[in-house]
Amino acid sequence: GLFLPTASPFATPEWLHEVASEVESRDLNTVWVPEHVVQFDEYGSRYPYSSDGKIPIPSGSGMLEPFTTLAFLAAATSTVRLGTSICLLAQRNPVYAAKEVSTLDWLSGGRVDLGVGIGWLREEYEAVGVPWARRGQRTEECVSVLLSFWCDEVSSFEGETVKVPACTMNPKPLQQPHPPVHIGGESDAAINRAARIGQGWHTFGRLPADVPPALTVLDAELEKAGRSRAGFQVTVSPYLNPLTPDMVDQYAETGIDQLSVMLVAFTPSDVAPQLDLLEPCFERARRS
């Protein structure tokens, strides 16, 4: 898979078209896109994936909205799967989120993977008017709302953080029983949540040696939930860590299902050369 840092100003329509053409011609499995609706020049929250606790996005930049971006890519592709990595579901109205994902799945021919996480940026929650407290519980209740709208003829939900009266939503997603929900996050709580309510776990920044201990925790949590990794997808994004073909073999030996490799390309003409540099890794993954 390919992780796209869809940030302005370089994530232009021309850039996305070039990415779409390349991922299909190279037979990549999934394109994953991130989410942050606003950025802050100053913030007290700590970004968990960098040593200085700051997200590596320069001032004046910002990320494209993920579902709009994936709809754009859906129109420019026919086979690659379209994923969020990661949608901050608790910050969204879950009724609208259910509609957006269902519509995207309908229009793309059933190609959506919904990755969700609780987020790390308290200031962003405050900006959208959603409480930071109990965001994990709200995320789980939002997932329940989505599943009801996707699977039930008449939907309703009564939780502590989310309430939805009886109503109907159509069209339903094409994927049955529904688009896969991948839970993102690095904590034991995130792994527990993935084991209980997800169809996958999506983790960032782990090197091959970091994966087996986490999978031991995941397997234990899946067993508690009466489940196993059969039919469950583990996706690892090396993220800011460079990737080599030998590392691909090491990741494969851990038993994960997919690598999501970050594309570092700042113009449309950079896309193909950067993917050429990654091609040995892609080829090794295909053989694995």
Side-chain angles (χ1 to χ4, degrees):
L2 199 66
F3 176 72
L4 300 183
T6 51
S8 61
F10 65 83
T12 62
E14 294 78 16
W15 186 85
L16 288 170
H17 270 298
E18 187 66 20
V19 168
S21 174
E22 289 291 333
V23 297
E24 296 252 294
S25 67
R26 295 169 192 266
D27 197 29
L28 298 182
N29 183 264
T30 312
V31 172
W32 301 92
V33 300
E35 175 171 45
H36 277 295
V37 65
V38 291
Q39 300 291 138
F40 300 87
D41 290 334
E42 301 291 337
Y43 49 91
S45 302
R46 181 172 181 81
Y47 184 60
Y49 300 109
S50 65
S51 59
D52 64 0
K54 301 298 180 183
I55 189 169
I57 295 180
S59 177
S61 183
M63 297 179 186
L64 303 184
E65 195 282 323
F67 295 121
T68 310
T69 304
L70 292 177
F72 186 101
L73 289 169
T77 58
S78 59
T79 59
V80 69
R81 294 190 62 81
L82 308 162
T84 53
S85 175
I86 295 294
C87 171
L88 303 173
L89 183 60
Q91 294 183 179
R92 291 173 168 266
N93 180 307
V95 179
Y96 266 101
K99 187 71 167 183
E100 288 167 327
V101 176
S102 183
T103 299
L104 179 61
D105 201 64
W106 176 271
L107 293 176
S108 68
R111 292 189 277 142
V112 176
D113 283 284
L114 180 66
V116 304
I118 67 171
W120 59 273
L121 187 54
R122 176 195 291 264
E123 292 84 349
E124 187 173 14
Y125 271 77
E126 294 169 350
V128 298
V130 174
W132 174 254
R134 297 201 296 174
R135 64 196 184 280
Q137 180 182 359
R138 177 174 166 83
T139 297
E140 294 192 24
E141 292 188 0
C142 286
V143 169
S144 295
V145 171
L146 268 57
L147 296 182
S148 180
F149 276 117
W150 294 342
C151 301
D152 301 337
E153 183 176 347
V154 178
S155 305
S156 64
F157 184 79
E158 185 78 18
E160 294 184 22
T161 68
V162 180
K163 294 178 173 58
V164 179
C167 55
T168 62
M169 177 180 289
N170 288 291
K172 304 295 187 188
L174 289 184
Q175 294 184 84
Q176 296 297 318
H178 56 77
V181 177
H182 305 255
I183 304 298
E186 315 313 322
S187 66
D188 286 351
I191 295 174
N192 171 274
R193 186 173 295 117
R196 286 187 292 106
I197 69 170
Q199 288 72 59
W201 175 49
H202 200 305
T203 177
F204 275 82
R206 290 182 192 265
L207 294 171
D210 303 322
V211 174
L215 293 184
T216 298
V217 175
L218 174 64
D219 288 337
E221 295 294 341
L222 284 167
E223 184 176 3
K224 289 179 189 176
R227 307 174 67 190
S228 72
R229 266 195 273 163
F232 186 94
Q233 179 172 308
V234 177
T235 301
V236 176
S237 176
Y239 193 35
L240 301 175
N241 296 300
L243 184 68
T244 66
D246 287 345
M247 288 173 64
V248 173
D249 288 341
Q250 294 165 15
Y251 277 116
E253 289 168 2
T254 69
I256 68 166
D257 301 291
Q258 184 177 151
L259 283 174
S260 173
V261 186
M262 186 163 71
L263 174 65
V264 182
F266 300 106
T267 69
S269 61
D270 290 337
V271 171
Q274 288 301 313
L275 290 175
D276 286 342
L277 293 176
L278 290 169
E279 187 59 38
C281 294
F282 299 152
E283 183 57 35
R284 193 71 65 90
R286 295 183 189 104
R287 294 207 303 267
S288 298

